[in-house]
Amino acid sequence: QVQLVESGGGLVQAGGSLRLSCAVSGTIPGDNDMAWYRRAPGKQREFVTGITNAARTTYAPSVKGRFTISKDNAKNTAYLQMNFLQPEDTAVYYCNAGGTMDPQGRYWVGHYWGQGTQVTVSS
């Protein structure tokens, strides 16, 4: 059985940093590219960033240059380093696994989701 466990959320002041982790247990067939999504209050879930096993990455324009995704394939864990956080980054952040990133950099969402971790940025 596949499980995704996220950690690292919290409360931070604007301009601060947080690092999220997503540990995957169990075996996921296929490419197992991974991604982070977020859902802000009153808004739809949106794509944040994705990464392939070969470390090819893609970012939403709103976080490019501030957020960095990485993946430790040996530990089957993905990370999201978030710098220069702003109040508009406040959301529940979800890890996704089992997806596929195509050659154009579009991430096709996978079947597996974490439980979400709250990130709150105060002004």
Side-chain angles (χ1 to χ4, degrees):
Q1 184 176 353
V2 175
Q3 284 190 320
L4 278 60
V5 178
E6 298 146 350
S7 60
L11 173 64
V12 65
Q13 288 188 331
S17 298
L18 283 174
R19 188 190 193 214
L20 307 183
S21 299
C22 174
V24 180
S25 61
T27 301
I28 297 177
D31 294 336
N32 193 23
D33 297 344
M34 296 181 68
W36 291 92
Y37 286 75
R38 67 186 181 186
R39 177 175 282 146
K43 296 187 177 180
Q44 291 188 335
R45 184 183 66 196
E46 65 173 351
F47 173 82
V48 177
T49 178
I51 188 168
T52 68
N53 278 341
R56 185 164 57 95
T57 59
T58 185
Y59 294 91
S62 60
V63 306
K64 198 168 187 179
R66 300 188 298 123
F67 291 11
T68 302
I69 188 172
S70 59
K71 190 170 184 277
D72 186 331
N73 290 328
K75 294 182 178 180
N76 217 6
T77 299
Y79 305 94
L80 180 61
Q81 177 67 43
M82 304 184 292
N83 299 328
F84 304 108
L85 283 160
Q86 299 301 314
E88 53 266 33
D89 295 316
T90 295
V92 178
Y93 284 71
Y94 297 91
C95 177
N96 178 261
T100 301
M101 191 186 303
D102 66 20
Q104 290 73 40
R106 292 171 299 190
Y107 181 81
W108 298 89
V109 66
H111 180 71
Y112 305 98
W113 291 94
Q115 80 283 1
T117 186
Q118 177 71 47
V119 170
T120 302
V121 185
S122 64
S123 58

